[in-house]
mmCIF file of all heavy atoms in Angstrom:
data_model
loop_
_atom_site.group_PDB
_atom_site.id
_atom_site.type_symbol
_atom_site.label_atom_id
_atom_site.label_comp_id
_atom_site.label_asym_id
_atom_site.label_seq_id
_atom_site.Cartn_x
_atom_site.Cartn_y
_atom_site.Cartn_z
ATOM 1 N N PRO A 1115 136.118 129.239 40.187
ATOM 2 C CA PRO A 1115 136.665 129.115 41.541
ATOM 3 C C PRO A 1115 137.626 130.268 41.849
ATOM 4 O O PRO A 1115 138.407 130.702 41.004
ATOM 5 C CB PRO A 1115 137.424 127.793 41.483
ATOM 6 C CG PRO A 1115 136.735 127.006 40.401
ATOM 7 C CD PRO A 1115 136.352 128.045 39.377
ATOM 8 N N PHE A 1116 137.539 130.756 43.073
ATOM 9 C CA PHE A 1116 138.373 131.872 43.562
ATOM 10 C C PHE A 1116 139.527 131.273 44.349
ATOM 11 O O PHE A 1116 139.314 130.628 45.403
ATOM 12 C CB PHE A 1116 137.539 132.799 44.437
ATOM 13 C CG PHE A 1116 138.267 133.970 44.996
ATOM 14 C CD1 PHE A 1116 138.506 135.104 44.242
ATOM 15 C CD2 PHE A 1116 138.735 133.954 46.307
ATOM 16 C CE1 PHE A 1116 139.154 136.193 44.755
ATOM 17 C CE2 PHE A 1116 139.401 135.039 46.830
ATOM 18 C CZ PHE A 1116 139.600 136.157 46.072
ATOM 19 N N LYS A 1117 140.771 131.470 43.868
ATOM 20 C CA LYS A 1117 141.923 130.842 44.492
ATOM 21 C C LYS A 1117 142.950 131.872 44.927
ATOM 22 O O LYS A 1117 143.373 132.729 44.139
ATOM 23 C CB LYS A 1117 142.562 129.864 43.507
ATOM 24 C CG LYS A 1117 141.667 128.733 43.048
ATOM 25 C CD LYS A 1117 142.381 127.831 42.056
ATOM 26 C CE LYS A 1117 141.486 126.711 41.543
ATOM 27 N NZ LYS A 1117 142.208 125.845 40.549
ATOM 28 N N THR A 1118 143.374 131.771 46.194
ATOM 29 C CA THR A 1118 144.446 132.614 46.704
ATOM 30 C C THR A 1118 145.458 131.718 47.416
ATOM 31 O O THR A 1118 145.281 130.493 47.454
ATOM 32 C CB THR A 1118 143.921 133.659 47.694
ATOM 33 O OG1 THR A 1118 143.587 133.015 48.951
ATOM 34 C CG2 THR A 1118 142.664 134.366 47.162
ATOM 35 N N LEU A 1120 145.628 131.468 50.415
ATOM 36 C CA LEU A 1120 145.011 131.024 51.648
ATOM 37 C C LEU A 1120 143.872 130.027 51.470
ATOM 38 O O LEU A 1120 143.608 129.216 52.345
ATOM 39 C CB LEU A 1120 144.457 132.223 52.436
ATOM 40 C CG LEU A 1120 145.486 133.260 52.919
ATOM 41 C CD1 LEU A 1120 144.768 134.443 53.513
ATOM 42 C CD2 LEU A 1120 146.397 132.625 53.938
ATOM 43 N N ARG A 1121 143.154 130.050 50.299
ATOM 44 C CA ARG A 1121 141.966 129.235 50.187
ATOM 45 C C ARG A 1121 141.488 129.144 48.728
ATOM 46 O O ARG A 1121 141.914 129.924 47.868
ATOM 47 C CB ARG A 1121 140.838 129.819 51.031
ATOM 48 C CG ARG A 1121 140.491 131.252 50.669
ATOM 49 C CD ARG A 1121 139.421 131.856 51.549
ATOM 50 N NE ARG A 1121 139.165 133.239 51.173
ATOM 51 C CZ ARG A 1121 137.970 133.797 51.189
ATOM 52 N NH1 ARG A 1121 136.926 133.107 51.595
ATOM 53 N NH2 ARG A 1121 137.789 135.049 50.835
ATOM 54 N N THR A 1122 140.560 128.196 48.511
ATOM 55 C CA THR A 1122 139.850 128.069 47.238
ATOM 56 C C THR A 1122 138.364 128.007 47.538
ATOM 57 O O THR A 1122 137.920 127.237 48.405
ATOM 58 C CB THR A 1122 140.282 126.796 46.487
ATOM 59 O OG1 THR A 1122 141.674 126.866 46.175
ATOM 60 C CG2 THR A 1122 139.482 126.645 45.199
ATOM 61 N N VAL A 1123 137.566 128.833 46.850
ATOM 62 C CA VAL A 1123 136.138 128.939 47.102
ATOM 63 C C VAL A 1123 135.393 128.849 45.782
ATOM 64 O O VAL A 1123 135.824 129.436 44.780
ATOM 65 C CB VAL A 1123 135.787 130.286 47.810
ATOM 66 C CG1 VAL A 1123 134.294 130.354 48.120
ATOM 67 C CG2 VAL A 1123 136.604 130.451 49.081
ATOM 68 N N GLU A 1124 134.255 128.114 45.770
ATOM 69 C CA GLU A 1124 133.495 127.954 44.543
ATOM 70 C C GLU A 1124 132.132 128.634 44.592
ATOM 71 O O GLU A 1124 131.510 128.810 43.552
ATOM 72 C CB GLU A 1124 133.304 126.462 44.247
ATOM 73 C CG GLU A 1124 134.614 125.743 43.934
ATOM 74 C CD GLU A 1124 134.403 124.319 43.474
ATOM 75 O OE1 GLU A 1124 133.269 123.821 43.545
ATOM 76 O OE2 GLU A 1124 135.399 123.718 43.032
ATOM 77 N N LYS A 1262 152.110 131.577 46.643
ATOM 78 C CA LYS A 1262 152.207 130.129 46.909
ATOM 79 C C LYS A 1262 153.573 129.527 46.598
ATOM 80 O O LYS A 1262 153.942 128.505 47.151
ATOM 81 C CB LYS A 1262 151.160 129.382 46.080
ATOM 82 C CG LYS A 1262 149.760 129.413 46.694
ATOM 83 C CD LYS A 1262 148.848 128.427 45.966
ATOM 84 C CE LYS A 1262 147.546 128.246 46.730
ATOM 85 N NZ LYS A 1262 146.684 127.198 46.097
#
Side-chain angles (χ1 to χ4, degrees):
F1116 179 81
K1117 299 179 182 180
T1118 74
L1120 296 174
R1121 58 183 179 143
T1122 298
V1123 182
E1124 295 187 351
K1262 280 191 168 184

